[in-house]
Amino acid sequence: MVKRENIVWHNGKVNPEQRRGLLGQKGLVVWLTGLSGSGKSTIAVEVEKRLLEEGYWVYRLDGDNVRHGLNSDLGFSDADRDENIRRIAEVSALFADAGMITLVSFISPFRKMRQFAREKAGAGHFAEVFVRADLETCARRDPKGLYEKAKNGEISDFTGISSPYEEPEDPELLLDTTRMSVDESVEHLLDYIRIVV
Ligand code: ADP
């Protein structure tokens, strides 16, 4: 269990409003969730580029990339998936507190952990974006060859096949990538972010 004795919160002399004044934007966690292959990373990469070009302070946390470093000790059991998301929720909440627009693209299949991320970021600093594509479409795209492997039994605990995905019930934004092109999804998300920050 975590050791927490003798740890006292130390307040600083800088507040979020000061950072907001300096940066001209508020911190926001944009949490993209959806099946593998639904388009989260593709959309996040484009949105990051566009926001940067428009002068926003933006950073992207990608599921696969973070699993190379911070979360390299974690696998895909339910407990490890929860811990994966818990750490990302903490990190993205810190980024948002620092004033950054943080694009988070993780499958994040469990509602309770997405709710945890929302609570960590705080009201007005979190947007859940459901990147939706049905399983057949994702399996057809199969950008990383993972569905093929899962079908052949080479991957256990694969979301949508041998591990559940709990769809968002009330996301701030829904991007249905079976109906919208990448460009359309990117424009929708950009419109949303520009209004919110
Ligand atoms: P995820 O990050 O959700 O696992 P990726 O972005 O890595 O998904 O992969 C999605 C794949 O689907 C990419 O190869 C992308 O080019 C392709 N794709 C095809 N149509 C779309 C669309 N309308 N929106 C997003 N991605 C699409």
Side-chain angles (χ1 to χ4, degrees), residues 81-110:
R81 282 173 188 268
D82 282 357
E83 177 60 12
N84 183 42
I85 298 305
R86 189 192 70 77
R87 291 183 199 173
I88 297 313
E90 294 282 359
V91 170
S92 56
L94 289 173
F95 277 35
D97 190 47
M100 184 98 75
I101 300 167
T102 312
L103 305 168
V104 180
S105 49
F106 289 69
I107 298 172
S108 45
F110 302 127

Side-chain angles (χ1 to χ4, degrees), residues 152-181:
N152 298 333
E154 291 169 48
I155 309 177
S156 53
D157 300 326
F158 192 71
T159 301
I161 293 183
S162 46
S163 186
Y165 178 77
E166 298 172 358
E167 294 196 350
E169 285 168 331
D170 194 17
E172 274 75 7
L173 197 66
L174 166 67
L175 301 174
D176 184 344
T177 68
T178 61
R179 291 163 185 266
M180 286 192 281
S181 68

Side-chain angles (χ1 to χ4, degrees), residues 35-43 141 143-144 177 180-182:
L35 293 174
S36 177
S38 58
K40 302 179 296 296
S41 301
T42 304
I43 294 165
R141 290 176 184 164
K144 298 163 206 149
T177 68
M180 286 192 281
S181 68
V182 174

Side-chain angles (χ1 to χ4, degrees), residues 9-27:
W9 190 270
H10 202 127
N11 285 322
K13 291 184 177 176
V14 175
N15 62 42
E17 285 67 40
Q18 288 171 293
R19 291 197 186 90
R20 191 171 180 170
L22 185 71
L23 298 169
Q25 64 177 57
K26 77 168 175 179

